[in-house]
PDB file of all heavy atoms in Angstrom:
ATOM      1  N   ILE A 628       3.852  -7.346  12.417  1.00 94.00           N
ATOM      2  CA  ILE A 628       4.658  -6.257  11.851  1.00 94.00           C
ATOM      3  C   ILE A 628       4.334  -6.089  10.366  1.00 94.00           C
ATOM      4  O   ILE A 628       4.147  -4.970   9.867  1.00 94.00           O
ATOM      5  CB  ILE A 628       6.157  -6.534  12.052  1.00 94.00           C
ATOM      6  CG1 ILE A 628       6.509  -6.480  13.541  1.00 94.00           C
ATOM      7  CG2 ILE A 628       7.012  -5.540  11.260  1.00 94.00           C
ATOM      8  CD1 ILE A 628       7.920  -6.970  13.873  1.00 94.00           C
ATOM      9  N   GLN A 629       4.261  -7.202   9.671  1.00 94.00           N
ATOM     10  CA  GLN A 629       3.970  -7.154   8.237  1.00 94.00           C
ATOM     11  C   GLN A 629       2.594  -6.538   7.967  1.00 94.00           C
ATOM     12  O   GLN A 629       2.440  -5.689   7.080  1.00 94.00           O
ATOM     13  CB  GLN A 629       4.033  -8.573   7.660  1.00 94.00           C
ATOM     14  CG  GLN A 629       3.872  -8.640   6.149  1.00 94.00           C
ATOM     15  CD  GLN A 629       3.912 -10.078   5.661  1.00 94.00           C
ATOM     16  OE1 GLN A 629       3.041 -10.868   5.984  1.00 94.00           O
ATOM     17  NE2 GLN A 629       4.934 -10.408   4.890  1.00 94.00           N
ATOM     18  N   ARG A 630       1.597  -6.941   8.750  1.00 91.00           N
ATOM     19  CA  ARG A 630       0.240  -6.433   8.527  1.00 91.00           C
ATOM     20  C   ARG A 630       0.140  -4.944   8.853  1.00 91.00           C
ATOM     21  O   ARG A 630      -0.581  -4.201   8.166  1.00 91.00           O
ATOM     22  CB  ARG A 630      -0.771  -7.240   9.342  1.00 91.00           C
ATOM     23  CG  ARG A 630      -0.878  -8.691   8.870  1.00 91.00           C
ATOM     24  CD  ARG A 630      -2.112  -9.365   9.406  1.00 91.00           C
ATOM     25  NE  ARG A 630      -3.321  -8.796   8.815  1.00 91.00           N
ATOM     26  CZ  ARG A 630      -4.540  -9.271   9.031  1.00 91.00           C
ATOM     27  NH1 ARG A 630      -4.706 -10.318   9.827  1.00 91.00           N
ATOM     28  NH2 ARG A 630      -5.594  -8.716   8.466  1.00 91.00           N
ATOM     29  N   VAL A 631       0.850  -4.503   9.877  1.00 93.00           N
ATOM     30  CA  VAL A 631       0.856  -3.075  10.197  1.00 93.00           C
ATOM     31  C   VAL A 631       1.490  -2.278   9.063  1.00 93.00           C
ATOM     32  O   VAL A 631       0.987  -1.214   8.658  1.00 93.00           O
ATOM     33  CB  VAL A 631       1.592  -2.822  11.534  1.00 93.00           C
ATOM     34  CG1 VAL A 631       1.836  -1.325  11.748  1.00 93.00           C
ATOM     35  CG2 VAL A 631       0.789  -3.392  12.694  1.00 93.00           C
ATOM     36  N   LYS A 632       2.610  -2.757   8.538  1.00 93.00           N
ATOM     37  CA  LYS A 632       3.278  -2.080   7.425  1.00 93.00           C
ATOM     38  C   LYS A 632       2.373  -2.005   6.193  1.00 93.00           C
ATOM     39  O   LYS A 632       2.243  -0.948   5.559  1.00 93.00           O
ATOM     40  CB  LYS A 632       4.579  -2.811   7.061  1.00 93.00           C
ATOM     41  CG  LYS A 632       5.730  -2.620   8.035  1.00 93.00           C
ATOM     42  CD  LYS A 632       6.938  -3.443   7.609  1.00 93.00           C
ATOM     43  CE  LYS A 632       8.129  -3.246   8.530  1.00 93.00           C
ATOM     44  NZ  LYS A 632       8.754  -1.915   8.374  1.00 93.00           N
ATOM     45  N   ILE A 633       1.751  -3.121   5.859  1.00 93.00           N
ATOM     46  CA  ILE A 633       0.906  -3.154   4.663  1.00 93.00           C
ATOM     47  C   ILE A 633      -0.335  -2.288   4.848  1.00 93.00           C
ATOM     48  O   ILE A 633      -0.791  -1.625   3.907  1.00 93.00           O
ATOM     49  CB  ILE A 633       0.513  -4.608   4.309  1.00 93.00           C
ATOM     50  CG1 ILE A 633       1.764  -5.417   3.951  1.00 93.00           C
ATOM     51  CG2 ILE A 633      -0.487  -4.636   3.162  1.00 93.00           C
ATOM     52  CD1 ILE A 633       2.587  -4.864   2.804  1.00 93.00           C
ATOM     53  N   GLU A 634      -0.868  -2.231   6.065  1.00 90.00           N
ATOM     54  CA  GLU A 634      -2.024  -1.356   6.317  1.00 90.00           C
ATOM     55  C   GLU A 634      -1.647   0.108   6.090  1.00 90.00           C
ATOM     56  O   GLU A 634      -2.422   0.876   5.501  1.00 90.00           O
ATOM     57  CB  GLU A 634      -2.543  -1.562   7.739  1.00 90.00           C
ATOM     58  CG  GLU A 634      -3.893  -0.930   7.999  1.00 90.00           C
ATOM     59  CD  GLU A 634      -4.994  -1.485   7.113  1.00 90.00           C
ATOM     60  OE1 GLU A 634      -4.986  -2.695   6.809  1.00 90.00           O
ATOM     61  OE2 GLU A 634      -5.870  -0.684   6.711  1.00 90.00           O
ATOM     62  N   ALA A 635      -0.455   0.486   6.529  1.00 92.00           N
ATOM     63  CA  ALA A 635       0.015   1.855   6.310  1.00 92.00           C
ATOM     64  C   ALA A 635       0.225   2.118   4.817  1.00 92.00           C
ATOM     65  O   ALA A 635      -0.102   3.203   4.310  1.00 92.00           O
ATOM     66  CB  ALA A 635       1.312   2.090   7.080  1.00 92.00           C
ATOM     67  N   ALA A 636       0.758   1.129   4.104  1.00 93.00           N
ATOM     68  CA  ALA A 636       0.944   1.274   2.658  1.00 93.00           C
ATOM     69  C   ALA A 636      -0.399   1.420   1.947  1.00 93.00           C
ATOM     70  O   ALA A 636      -0.536   2.217   1.007  1.00 93.00           O
ATOM     71  CB  ALA A 636       1.710   0.070   2.108  1.00 93.00           C
ATOM     72  N   LYS A 637      -1.389   0.674   2.382  1.00 90.00           N
ATOM     73  CA  LYS A 637      -2.738   0.785   1.804  1.00 90.00           C
ATOM     74  C   LYS A 637      -3.272   2.210   1.952  1.00 90.00           C
ATOM     75  O   LYS A 637      -3.828   2.789   1.015  1.00 90.00           O
ATOM     76  CB  LYS A 637      -3.686  -0.203   2.486  1.00 90.00           C
ATOM     77  CG  LYS A 637      -3.513  -1.651   2.065  1.00 90.00           C
ATOM     78  CD  LYS A 637      -4.194  -2.608   3.015  1.00 90.00           C
ATOM     79  CE  LYS A 637      -5.674  -2.326   3.165  1.00 90.00           C
ATOM     80  NZ  LYS A 637      -6.310  -3.242   4.144  1.00 90.00           N
ATOM     81  N   MET A 638      -3.121   2.767   3.144  1.00 89.00           N
ATOM     82  CA  MET A 638      -3.608   4.127   3.383  1.00 89.00           C
ATOM     83  C   MET A 638      -2.904   5.133   2.469  1.00 89.00           C
ATOM     84  O   MET A 638      -3.528   6.062   1.949  1.00 89.00           O
ATOM     85  CB  MET A 638      -3.385   4.516   4.852  1.00 89.00           C
ATOM     86  CG  MET A 638      -4.187   3.703   5.863  1.00 89.00           C
ATOM     87  SD  MET A 638      -5.985   3.778   5.607  1.00 89.00           S
ATOM     88  CE  MET A 638      -6.276   2.198   4.786  1.00 89.00           C
ATOM     89  N   SER A 639      -1.613   4.922   2.280  1.00 91.00           N
ATOM     90  CA  SER A 639      -0.854   5.803   1.406  1.00 91.00           C
ATOM     91  C   SER A 639      -1.350   5.702  -0.041  1.00 91.00           C
ATOM     92  O   SER A 639      -1.547   6.711  -0.724  1.00 91.00           O
ATOM     93  CB  SER A 639       0.635   5.441   1.486  1.00 91.00           C
ATOM     94  OG  SER A 639       1.391   6.223   0.600  1.00 91.00           O
ATOM     95  N   LEU A 640      -1.586   4.488  -0.501  1.00 91.00           N
ATOM     96  CA  LEU A 640      -2.036   4.280  -1.880  1.00 91.00           C
ATOM     97  C   LEU A 640      -3.467   4.764  -2.093  1.00 91.00           C
ATOM     98  O   LEU A 640      -3.840   5.158  -3.194  1.00 91.00           O
ATOM     99  CB  LEU A 640      -1.926   2.793  -2.238  1.00 91.00           C
ATOM    100  CG  LEU A 640      -0.503   2.234  -2.304  1.00 91.00           C
ATOM    101  CD1 LEU A 640      -0.530   0.724  -2.450  1.00 91.00           C
ATOM    102  CD2 LEU A 640       0.268   2.868  -3.461  1.00 91.00           C
ATOM    103  N   GLU A 641      -4.261   4.752  -1.039  1.00 87.00           N
ATOM    104  CA  GLU A 641      -5.654   5.190  -1.145  1.00 87.00           C
ATOM    105  C   GLU A 641      -5.789   6.706  -1.169  1.00 87.00           C
ATOM    106  O   GLU A 641      -6.627   7.247  -1.894  1.00 87.00           O
ATOM    107  CB  GLU A 641      -6.470   4.667   0.048  1.00 87.00           C
ATOM    108  CG  GLU A 641      -6.768   3.196   0.024  1.00 87.00           C
ATOM    109  CD  GLU A 641      -7.507   2.763   1.286  1.00 87.00           C
ATOM    110  OE1 GLU A 641      -8.215   3.604   1.880  1.00 87.00           O
ATOM    111  OE2 GLU A 641      -7.370   1.599   1.682  1.00 87.00           O
ATOM    112  N   SER A 642      -4.988   7.393  -0.358  1.00 85.00           N
ATOM    113  CA  SER A 642      -5.312   8.789  -0.052  1.00 85.00           C
ATOM    114  C   SER A 642      -4.261   9.813  -0.455  1.00 85.00           C
ATOM    115  O   SER A 642      -4.437  11.004  -0.192  1.00 85.00           O
ATOM    116  CB  SER A 642      -5.566   8.920   1.456  1.00 85.00           C
ATOM    117  OG  SER A 642      -4.438   8.490   2.191  1.00 85.00           O
ATOM    118  N   THR A 643      -3.157   9.392  -1.063  1.00 88.00           N
ATOM    119  CA  THR A 643      -2.115  10.340  -1.467  1.00 88.00           C
ATOM    120  C   THR A 643      -1.779  10.141  -2.940  1.00 88.00           C
ATOM    121  O   THR A 643      -2.287   9.237  -3.595  1.00 88.00           O
ATOM    122  CB  THR A 643      -0.828  10.144  -0.634  1.00 88.00           C
ATOM    123  OG1 THR A 643      -0.187   8.925  -1.043  1.00 88.00           O
ATOM    124  CG2 THR A 643      -1.141  10.080   0.860  1.00 88.00           C
ATOM    125  N   ARG A 644      -0.886  10.983  -3.419  1.00 88.00           N
ATOM    126  CA  ARG A 644      -0.408  10.849  -4.801  1.00 88.00           C
ATOM    127  C   ARG A 644       0.786   9.911  -4.907  1.00 88.00           C
ATOM    128  O   ARG A 644       1.383   9.761  -5.966  1.00 88.00           O
ATOM    129  CB  ARG A 644      -0.001  12.235  -5.341  1.00 88.00           C
ATOM    130  CG  ARG A 644      -1.172  13.198  -5.511  1.00 88.00           C
ATOM    131  CD  ARG A 644      -0.670  14.567  -5.931  1.00 88.00           C
ATOM    132  NE  ARG A 644      -1.754  15.495  -6.158  1.00 88.00           N
ATOM    133  CZ  ARG A 644      -2.352  15.687  -7.338  1.00 88.00           C
ATOM    134  NH1 ARG A 644      -1.940  15.003  -8.386  1.00 88.00           N
ATOM    135  NH2 ARG A 644      -3.330  16.555  -7.471  1.00 88.00           N
ATOM    136  N   ASP A 645       1.134   9.257  -3.808  1.00 89.00           N
ATOM    137  CA  ASP A 645       2.290   8.356  -3.805  1.00 89.00           C
ATOM    138  C   ASP A 645       2.137   7.260  -4.849  1.00 89.00           C
ATOM    139  O   ASP A 645       1.044   6.685  -5.022  1.00 89.00           O
ATOM    140  CB  ASP A 645       2.448   7.684  -2.441  1.00 89.00           C
ATOM    141  CG  ASP A 645       2.931   8.644  -1.371  1.00 89.00           C
ATOM    142  OD1 ASP A 645       3.318   9.771  -1.719  1.00 89.00           O
ATOM    143  OD2 ASP A 645       2.914   8.257  -0.186  1.00 89.00           O
ATOM    144  N   ASN A 646       3.234   6.968  -5.538  1.00 92.00           N
ATOM    145  CA  ASN A 646       3.226   5.786  -6.398  1.00 92.00           C
ATOM    146  C   ASN A 646       3.587   4.569  -5.545  1.00 92.00           C
ATOM    147  O   ASN A 646       3.815   4.693  -4.335  1.00 92.00           O
ATOM    148  CB  ASN A 646       4.171   5.956  -7.596  1.00 92.00           C
ATOM    149  CG  ASN A 646       5.618   6.183  -7.181  1.00 92.00           C
ATOM    150  OD1 ASN A 646       6.074   5.646  -6.159  1.00 92.00           O
ATOM    151  ND2 ASN A 646       6.357   6.967  -7.966  1.00 92.00           N
ATOM    152  N   VAL A 647       3.671   3.417  -6.152  1.00 94.00           N
ATOM    153  CA  VAL A 647       3.906   2.190  -5.389  1.00 94.00           C
ATOM    154  C   VAL A 647       5.246   2.228  -4.669  1.00 94.00           C
ATOM    155  O   VAL A 647       5.352   1.852  -3.492  1.00 94.00           O
ATOM    156  CB  VAL A 647       3.811   0.960  -6.310  1.00 94.00           C
ATOM    157  CG1 VAL A 647       4.250  -0.306  -5.572  1.00 94.00           C
ATOM    158  CG2 VAL A 647       2.380   0.792  -6.826  1.00 94.00           C
ATOM    159  N   ASN A 648       6.291   2.706  -5.341  1.00 94.00           N
ATOM    160  CA  ASN A 648       7.605   2.752  -4.698  1.00 94.00           C
ATOM    161  C   ASN A 648       7.625   3.713  -3.518  1.00 94.00           C
ATOM    162  O   ASN A 648       8.242   3.436  -2.481  1.00 94.00           O
ATOM    163  CB  ASN A 648       8.680   3.158  -5.713  1.00 94.00           C
ATOM    164  CG  ASN A 648       9.064   2.004  -6.620  1.00 94.00           C
ATOM    165  OD1 ASN A 648       8.810   0.842  -6.296  1.00 94.00           O
ATOM    166  ND2 ASN A 648       9.665   2.323  -7.752  1.00 94.00           N
ATOM    167  N   ASP A 649       6.948   4.857  -3.663  1.00 94.00           N
ATOM    168  CA  ASP A 649       6.870   5.813  -2.548  1.00 94.00           C
ATOM    169  C   ASP A 649       6.244   5.154  -1.327  1.00 94.00           C
ATOM    170  O   ASP A 649       6.754   5.273  -0.199  1.00 94.00           O
ATOM    171  CB  ASP A 649       6.029   7.029  -2.956  1.00 94.00           C
ATOM    172  CG  ASP A 649       6.703   7.882  -4.014  1.00 94.00           C
ATOM    173  OD1 ASP A 649       7.942   7.874  -4.081  1.00 94.00           O
ATOM    174  OD2 ASP A 649       5.963   8.550  -4.767  1.00 94.00           O
ATOM    175  N   ALA A 650       5.110   4.475  -1.553  1.00 94.00           N
ATOM    176  CA  ALA A 650       4.403   3.815  -0.445  1.00 94.00           C
ATOM    177  C   ALA A 650       5.274   2.731   0.179  1.00 94.00           C
ATOM    178  O   ALA A 650       5.294   2.563   1.404  1.00 94.00           O
ATOM    179  CB  ALA A 650       3.096   3.226  -0.951  1.00 94.00           C
ATOM    180  N   MET A 651       6.011   2.014  -0.655  1.00 95.00           N
ATOM    181  CA  MET A 651       6.871   0.934  -0.183  1.00 95.00           C
ATOM    182  C   MET A 651       7.956   1.471   0.748  1.00 95.00           C
ATOM    183  O   MET A 651       8.155   0.960   1.858  1.00 95.00           O
ATOM    184  CB  MET A 651       7.514   0.230  -1.377  1.00 95.00           C
ATOM    185  CG  MET A 651       8.517  -0.853  -0.997  1.00 95.00           C
ATOM    186  SD  MET A 651       9.380  -1.530  -2.436  1.00 95.00           S
ATOM    187  CE  MET A 651      10.492  -0.162  -2.826  1.00 95.00           C
ATOM    188  N   TYR A 652       8.650   2.524   0.317  1.00 94.00           N
ATOM    189  CA  TYR A 652       9.736   3.064   1.134  1.00 94.00           C
ATOM    190  C   TYR A 652       9.223   3.682   2.426  1.00 94.00           C
ATOM    191  O   TYR A 652       9.871   3.601   3.478  1.00 94.00           O
ATOM    192  CB  TYR A 652      10.529   4.100   0.334  1.00 94.00           C
ATOM    193  CG  TYR A 652      11.337   3.508  -0.792  1.00 94.00           C
ATOM    194  CD1 TYR A 652      11.199   3.979  -2.094  1.00 94.00           C
ATOM    195  CD2 TYR A 652      12.239   2.460  -0.563  1.00 94.00           C
ATOM    196  CE1 TYR A 652      11.939   3.431  -3.138  1.00 94.00           C
ATOM    197  CE2 TYR A 652      12.974   1.906  -1.594  1.00 94.00           C
ATOM    198  CZ  TYR A 652      12.813   2.392  -2.888  1.00 94.00           C
ATOM    199  OH  TYR A 652      13.536   1.847  -3.910  1.00 94.00           O
ATOM    200  N   LYS A 653       8.046   4.294   2.388  1.00 93.00           N
ATOM    201  CA  LYS A 653       7.479   4.932   3.573  1.00 93.00           C
ATOM    202  C   LYS A 653       7.237   3.945   4.712  1.00 93.00           C
ATOM    203  O   LYS A 653       7.313   4.308   5.882  1.00 93.00           O
ATOM    204  CB  LYS A 653       6.153   5.625   3.217  1.00 93.00           C
ATOM    205  CG  LYS A 653       6.297   7.022   2.677  1.00 93.00           C
ATOM    206  CD  LYS A 653       4.923   7.656   2.513  1.00 93.00           C
ATOM    207  CE  LYS A 653       5.053   9.094   2.048  1.00 93.00           C
ATOM    208  NZ  LYS A 653       3.705   9.729   1.910  1.00 93.00           N
ATOM    209  N   VAL A 654       6.933   2.706   4.362  1.00 94.00           N
ATOM    210  CA  VAL A 654       6.622   1.733   5.413  1.00 94.00           C
ATOM    211  C   VAL A 654       7.806   0.835   5.742  1.00 94.00           C
ATOM    212  O   VAL A 654       7.666  -0.143   6.481  1.00 94.00           O
ATOM    213  CB  VAL A 654       5.388   0.876   5.027  1.00 94.00           C
ATOM    214  CG1 VAL A 654       4.179   1.762   4.824  1.00 94.00           C
ATOM    215  CG2 VAL A 654       5.655   0.013   3.797  1.00 94.00           C
ATOM    216  N   GLY A 655       8.970   1.142   5.163  1.00 93.00           N
ATOM    217  CA  GLY A 655      10.176   0.435   5.581  1.00 93.00           C
ATOM    218  C   GLY A 655      10.590  -0.743   4.730  1.00 93.00           C
ATOM    219  O   GLY A 655      11.514  -1.479   5.096  1.00 93.00           O
TER     220      GLY A 655
END
């Protein structure tokens, strides 16, 4: 579960304008 969440956060940080908090909340 943790690795799936972090993988999704990585994609957000790589390809969007999301800041760290945005990416964090998006993955739960």
Side-chain angles (χ1 to χ4, degrees):
I628 293 170
Q629 185 181 65
R630 294 196 68 175
V631 169
K632 286 177 178 288
I633 296 302
E634 192 61 36
K637 285 165 57 182
M638 295 302 101
S639 177
L640 293 171
E641 287 177 27
S642 58
T643 72
R644 293 175 178 269
D645 288 350
N646 60 33
V647 172
N648 283 341
D649 292 333
M651 176 186 74
Y652 291 126
K653 274 186 177 181
V654 300

